[in-house]
Amino acid sequence: MKKILKMLTLAVAAFSLGTFAQKADAASEPHYVITTDGTYPPFDFANQDNQYVGIDQDILKAIAKAEGFTYTLKPMSFNAATQSVSSDQADGVIAGMSITPERKAVFDFGTPYYRSGIAWAVAKGSKIKSLEDLRGKTVAIKTGTSGADYALSIQKKYGFKVTYFNDSETLYRDVINGNSVATFGDLPVLLYSIKNGTELKVMNAKNPYQAGEYGFAVKKGSNAALLAAFNRGFAKIKADGTYQKIIDKYLNASASEFTGNQNSTWNILKANRAAFLDGLKETIILTVIGIILAGLWGLILGVMGVSQWRLFRWISSTIIYTFRGLPMMVLAFFIYIGLPGVIGAKIPALIAGIVTLVLNEGAYIGAFVRGGFESVDYGQMEAARSLGLSHNKAMRKVIMPQGIKLVIPSFVNQLIITLKDTSILSAIGIVELTQTGTLIVSRNSQGFRVWALVAMVYLIVITVLTWFSNWIGKRTQA
């Protein structure tokens, strides 16, 4: 028995030491934050399991394994991804990013990992036959891409107008629907999308313009160790054949291999049920935390707005005026991308999103709370003062309780507005319900069905909140 106990003790000790060693090894591995554009198949997109895959992602995963580092992936729009790196919110970006002289002034690039060219495409059945036919018409381009750069470089020569989009699927749909007549983009991206059902026609597939190279990038002068690891790892996966397998895997595949059967609304819902639930959960978390903190902040602003002290009233009015006047997307970008460069610290996207909601929604709540206090008949204050109450006590005991009761319905309506406003935070990479829809559409090109499902979810939740608002309104008026 003693021998058995001794053996068990030794086994547990060995296991504990092994686990400790593994944790120590894991802790010693370098860890980075990498951004990407999650809507750029076949380079970057989310599969049916809501995992990010594609040429870029498989290359990055293989290099990380070869070089022994770990990373957290942050998918967002292309411009937000690059700005996150330049503002030190992220360590590197891999997003089908063309290496250009302008970008070399801001970023250090690793070994180029893919060579591509620019193509232009029109809707199937279009009467557009040459670039000359674009004169006076509108061309759709995706912001920050090499296709957009090329389109702008020839815009004056061919006399067309441009309209900008942040994701490829919406851009393609604009051309297919006839709102614009053509688009410019990377040839493999266009070919992949057409192969998987997008009703476009490439006009120069055999002769792409301005062949260029894609590169992994870090902020200029920063993260030299990460860049060196990428270069070493890329050399390894190219030498052992892993790189070519990745290229062949995606360029020779159909989207159905990554998305499953999604040719009906029911199949889309079934295949992406977990993604929709996760997106809804993130939306509700943002809404609940945002409205609670915004309510508290708005209440403070409202109280300051009716203060006896002129300075407090001025501070309240200035804050309300400022944050009601700022577009929420601008505020989100400022907090998430601009502010870290000033304070010298990273701000997580979720925190940046909540702060954005609090500042914006809190300003609106502060305005109607102040209005609620001011709408209480002034005779109430006079009566309270005549009974010997001080101004502050009269406000706390008489005016504020009545004012708060008056603004409860407005507060619940603001909750509905906050729910809808969370969709704007997808711009900084928060995967709430709207961003979930964008990611699903980017991989299955079923824009109508996916957005109908997203709209239905929003409508159901907002209907419930509206009923709740009406119930609260009746209760407070009783």
Side-chain angles (χ1 to χ4, degrees):
M1 187 68 179
K2 289 182 179 179
K3 287 183 178 180
I4 293 173
L5 288 172
K6 187 176 181 181
M7 289 174 64
L8 286 172
T9 303
L10 289 172
V12 170
F15 176 78
S16 300
L17 287 171
T19 303
F20 178 79
Q22 287 177 355
K23 288 182 178 179
D25 288 342
S28 66
E29 290 179 348
H31 186 82
Y32 302 103
V33 175
I34 309 296
T35 60
T36 189
D37 176 355
T39 61
Y40 202 56
F43 291 91
D44 307 279
F45 62 101
N47 64 15
Q48 60 186 335
D49 298 320
N50 223 32
Q51 301 297 313
Y52 289 93
V53 296
I55 293 172
D56 287 350
Q57 299 311 315
D58 284 17
I59 286 174
L60 180 61
K61 189 180 296 183
I63 290 174
K65 183 178 180 181
E67 287 299 305
F69 67 82
T70 59
Y71 62 92
T72 298
L73 189 70
K74 296 288 185 182
M76 55 189 70
S77 69
F78 180 81
N79 282 342
T82 55
Q83 290 173 41
S84 293
V85 175
S86 61
S87 63
D88 292 320
Q89 279 283 74
D91 302 303
V93 55
I94 184 165
M97 185 176 178
S98 298
I99 302 173
T100 65
E102 295 79 10
R103 287 173 179 159
K104 281 185 175 180
V106 182
F107 301 101
D108 288 328
F109 285 92
T111 305
Y113 63 85
Y114 191 84
R115 186 168 181 81
S116 180
I118 305 302
W120 68 291
V122 299
K124 284 184 177 179
S126 172
K127 296 180 180 179
I128 301 292
K129 303 299 179 185
S130 68
L131 293 176
E132 293 289 351
D133 295 335
L134 299 178
R135 191 170 301 279
K137 297 179 173 63
T138 301
V139 169
I141 56 178
K142 185 174 180 179
T143 55
T145 62
S146 52
D149 293 340
Y150 181 76
L152 294 173
S153 73
I154 64 171
Q155 181 184 9
K156 191 173 182 180
K157 178 180 178 180
Y158 292 103
F160 55 79
K161 296 173 283 187
V162 298
T163 183
Y164 295 89
F165 293 89
N166 283 325
D167 69 274
S168 301
E169 179 58 29
T170 307
L171 179 152
Y172 299 151
R173 190 56 50 187
D174 194 71
V175 177
I176 293 167
N177 291 341
N179 297 319
S180 51
V181 299
T183 184
F184 288 80
D186 292 302
L187 179 59
V189 176
L190 282 169
L191 290 177
Y192 181 87
S193 183
I194 291 169
K195 180 179 178 181
N196 293 290
T198 302
E199 297 176 347
L200 295 177
K201 177 175 64 175
V202 174
M203 305 298 286
N204 62 325
K206 295 182 180 179
N207 187 30
Y209 307 123
Q210 285 190 347
E213 295 176 313
Y214 291 169
F216 173 79
V218 299
K219 183 179 178 181
K220 198 166 189 66
S222 302
N223 283 305
L226 172 58
L227 199 62
F230 181 90
N231 291 341
R232 288 193 307 269
F234 182 70
K236 290 176 184 177
I237 67 170
K238 198 160 187 184
D240 66 16
T242 301
Y243 170 79
Q244 193 57 49
K245 288 179 182 177
I246 292 171
I247 298 297
D248 294 340
K249 173 184 175 181
Y250 289 99
L251 295 190
N252 297 328
S254 65
S256 60
E257 294 181 40
F258 306 105
T259 64
N261 178 14
Q262 299 194 33
N263 291 325
S264 71
T265 303
W266 173 249
N267 285 335
I268 291 171
L269 182 60
K270 187 167 65 171
N272 300 284
R273 182 176 63 253
F276 279 123
L277 289 174
D278 287 343
L280 178 60
K281 183 171 116 180
E282 193 76 3
T283 294
I284 291 173
I285 289 172
L286 284 167
T287 302
V288 172
I289 295 177
I291 198 66
I292 290 173
L293 296 180
L296 293 173
W297 177 231
L299 181 61
I300 292 171
L301 291 175
V303 171
M304 291 174 65
V306 294
S307 171
Q308 281 184 293
W309 301 93
R310 181 179 296 178
L311 176 62
F312 284 175
R313 295 198 302 272
W314 178 83
I315 291 172
S316 173
S317 297
T318 301
I319 292 173
I320 290 172
Y321 174 81
T322 300
F323 290 105
R324 286 176 72 185
L326 281 176
M328 185 177 285
M329 187 175 291
V330 173
L331 183 59
F333 277 131
F334 173 76
I335 293 171
Y336 183 66
I337 294 173
L339 198 57
V342 177
I343 64 176
K346 295 180 181 179
I347 300 176
L350 183 62
I351 299 300
I354 290 172
V355 172
T356 300
L357 288 173
V358 170
L359 292 177
N360 184 269
E361 309 297 340
Y364 284 95
I365 292 172
F368 65 66
V369 167
R370 181 182 62 190
F373 293 157
E374 291 175 343
S375 67
V376 176
D377 191 283
Y378 189 69
Q380 298 284 321
M381 173 62 78
E382 291 179 331
R385 294 302 302 275
S386 67
L387 292 173
L389 273 68
S390 67
H391 180 275
N392 288 340
K393 185 170 284 189
M395 285 296 297
R396 288 198 316 272
K397 300 288 187 180
V398 179
I399 305 301
M400 288 183 182
Q402 296 181 67
I404 295 274
K405 185 178 180 181
L406 292 173
V407 302
I408 286 176
S410 298
F411 180 82
V412 179
N413 287 333
Q414 195 66 36
L415 171 61
I416 296 172
I417 293 170
T418 303
L419 174 74
K420 293 188 287 187
D421 283 348
T422 57
S423 63
I424 297 172
L425 302 178
S426 62
I428 59 173
I430 295 178
V431 187
E432 41 61 74
L433 191 55
T434 298
Q435 180 69 349
T436 298
T438 300
L439 295 172
I440 294 171
V441 170
S442 73
R443 67 173 177 257
N444 67 11
S445 300
Q446 299 288 328
F448 176 80
R449 291 188 176 101
V450 173
W451 290 121
L453 286 170
V454 171
M456 190 181 299
V457 173
Y458 272 117
L459 190 59
I460 290 170
V461 176
I462 288 171
T463 299
V464 172
L465 290 178
T466 301
W467 288 342
F468 178 66
S469 174
N470 293 336
W471 181 79
I472 289 289
K474 290 177 181 178
R475 297 278 294 181
T476 55
Q477 297 301 320

